[in-house]
Amino acid sequence: MQRSIHVWVGSAVSLLVIGAALAQTKPTPDEITEAWNSSPHANSEAEAFRHWDAEGEIPGECAVCHSTTGILDYLASSPASAGVIDHPEPIGTTVECAACHNPGAESLRDVIFPSGQVVNMSDGSAICTVCHQGRTSAETVGAALGGLADDQVSAGITFINIHYAAAAATQLGGVARGGYEYVGQSYAGAFGHVQDFGTCVSCHGAHQTKVVLESCTGCHSGVTDFRAIRTTPLDILGTGDASAGIAVVIDELRARLSAAIMTYATEVGGGAIVYSDAAYPYFFNDLNANGAVDEGEAAFPNRYQSWTPRLLRAAYNYQFASKDPGAFAHNPHYTVQLLIDSLSDLAKVSSVDVTGLARP
């Protein structure tokens, strides 16, 4: 069942300010074309647009975000599901001008998420959100694990992948429920940032998609790296030092969760596990239990198949935090909550140290 909620990511004032700024610096058509040509959306050689070359068509569950014809058909169909159409599309397009500049995109307000949540994106971010929301949710994980004991190895469990660059799912946090949310815990909602920086294109160039550091230094003076920005005074890691950028904190929590996943798999689960960030389905049997991906291990026939519900929940959140490289900016508190909760859950039954961790 779809649930509807209205989210104001920015404010009316900020939209007016942004609009005025854009009006003063309106780019020329040539500048727009040059910016788009340098963006990932235009890279016709990328795996995102070449993956289906051998098949000659893109399946409907992928075509909405990996072809211009797919998004146009999706928008024209009065969407009733998250990012899926019922027919394949031809290969050969990227995310071209028409993908975002069409009546369906310009009138789009309500966006459906994999969780079934319908979010009103009246700030102009709706068309970005259709594709940058991931393809799974807390509900996906919960449904796959229903009825199984937490530490029961089951051949019926397979890894569930959030997909890639799910920035909108991160940014909306507990509204969209893109991460696995543990029972009994509360989770941060939409991360609104600050006035004038509440929409996708108020941070990312609309055509090039890059973020300019100088847009941040008005508030974060002296910062020379996005990753040095700190968004909370809380000593999350319990080290007595809360000066490191929140990206550094998230990286440390991800490293700890990676180690905890390996510890749990060895002590409680069905055998040693190792993660590869570049090979599907990402988690593989660690054949010599050395904690590293050795030659031949990151291959589909060697995929990890000894999942328990507890292990899958943690691995899903690890992937959620890993595949959005901007998670530290999109919603740092939600990301930290997912990582700490995953660590704490594994620590219930395996030798995982969570001493000093402070959950925001």
Side-chain angles (χ1 to χ4, degrees):
M1 179 181 295
Q2 294 173 0
R3 295 161 289 166
S4 183
I5 191 167
H6 189 99
V7 172
W8 291 94
V9 179
S11 67
V13 173
S14 70
L15 291 174
L16 290 173
V17 172
I18 293 167
L22 291 175
Q24 294 170 4
T25 59
K26 186 175 181 180
T28 67
D30 285 347
E31 289 172 334
I32 291 172
T33 300
E34 182 179 356
W36 176 79
N37 277 332
S38 66
S39 76
H41 289 161
N43 185 0
S44 60
E45 296 304 312
E47 176 70 9
F49 305 116
R50 301 301 299 269
H51 184 78
W52 302 272
D53 283 2
E55 292 87 345
E57 63 181 20
I58 308 173
E61 61 267 29
C62 307
V64 172
C65 300
H66 294 275
S67 71
T68 294
T69 54
I71 187 64
L72 290 174
D73 282 358
Y74 179 73
L75 294 170
S77 66
S78 300
S81 60
V84 175
I85 51 178
D86 62 3
H87 58 274
E89 295 286 351
I91 60 173
T93 64
T94 59
V95 180
E96 299 166 353
C97 302
C100 300
H101 298 284
N102 65 77
E106 291 163 8
S107 63
L108 184 65
R109 297 293 181 271
D110 293 336
V111 180
I112 305 167
F113 280 76
S115 61
Q117 191 70 272
V118 179
V119 182
N120 184 282
M121 307 294 292
S122 298
D123 64 356
S125 298
I127 188 59
C128 307
T129 301
V130 168
C131 289
H132 291 282
Q133 59 170 250
R135 285 294 172 262
T136 53
S137 68
E139 280 73 10
T140 311
V141 179
L145 300 178
L148 294 173
D150 282 345
D151 303 303
Q152 175 185 342
V153 175
S154 172
I157 303 175
T158 58
F159 179 63
I160 297 172
N161 183 32
I162 178 66
H163 210 57
Y164 318 108
T170 310
Q171 191 273 326
L172 288 169
V175 174
R177 290 173 53 81
Y180 179 80
E181 300 178 4
Y182 288 84
V183 175
Q185 294 285 16
S186 60
Y187 289 88
F191 186 61
H193 213 78
V194 296
Q195 185 175 333
D196 299 346
F197 292 93
T199 69
C200 300
V201 296
S202 58
C203 291
H204 294 269
H207 298 100
Q208 192 179 43
T209 74
K210 289 185 178 180
V211 182
V212 178
L213 182 63
E214 285 71 23
S215 64
C216 304
T217 53
C219 294
H220 303 284
S221 59
V223 169
T224 58
D225 184 345
F226 293 113
R227 295 173 52 80
I229 295 173
R230 181 82 178 195
T231 53
T232 178
L234 182 66
D235 180 14
I236 293 169
L237 298 176
T239 62
D241 180 7
S243 63
I246 197 66
V248 176
V249 172
I250 289 173
D251 283 352
E252 172 62 22
L253 289 173
R254 284 180 54 248
R256 292 193 190 187
L257 182 55
S258 175
I261 286 169
M262 288 189 282
T263 297
Y264 171 91
T266 299
E267 292 182 354
V268 182
I273 191 172
V274 69
Y275 176 82
S276 168
D277 65 356
Y280 180 85
Y282 307 103
F283 289 92
F284 301 91
N285 294 301
D286 188 0
L287 299 176
N288 57 7
N290 69 346
V293 180
D294 296 313
E295 185 176 355
E297 285 187 335
F300 188 79
N302 188 47
R303 66 195 180 280
Y304 195 78
Q305 300 182 75
S306 301
W307 295 101
T308 71
R310 196 187 305 273
L311 183 57
L312 181 68
R313 294 191 297 252
Y316 178 85
N317 279 345
Y318 180 83
Q319 183 78 334
F320 181 92
S322 299
K323 290 304 179 183
D324 178 6
F328 68 91
H330 295 141
N331 200 328
H333 287 178
Y334 184 68
T335 305
V336 167
Q337 288 168 350
L338 294 175
L339 293 171
I340 288 180
D341 290 350
S342 300
L343 280 163
S344 299
D345 192 49
L346 293 176
K348 292 177 181 178
V349 294
S350 61
S351 52
V352 173
D353 185 9
V354 294
T355 305
L357 293 183
R359 188 181 189 273

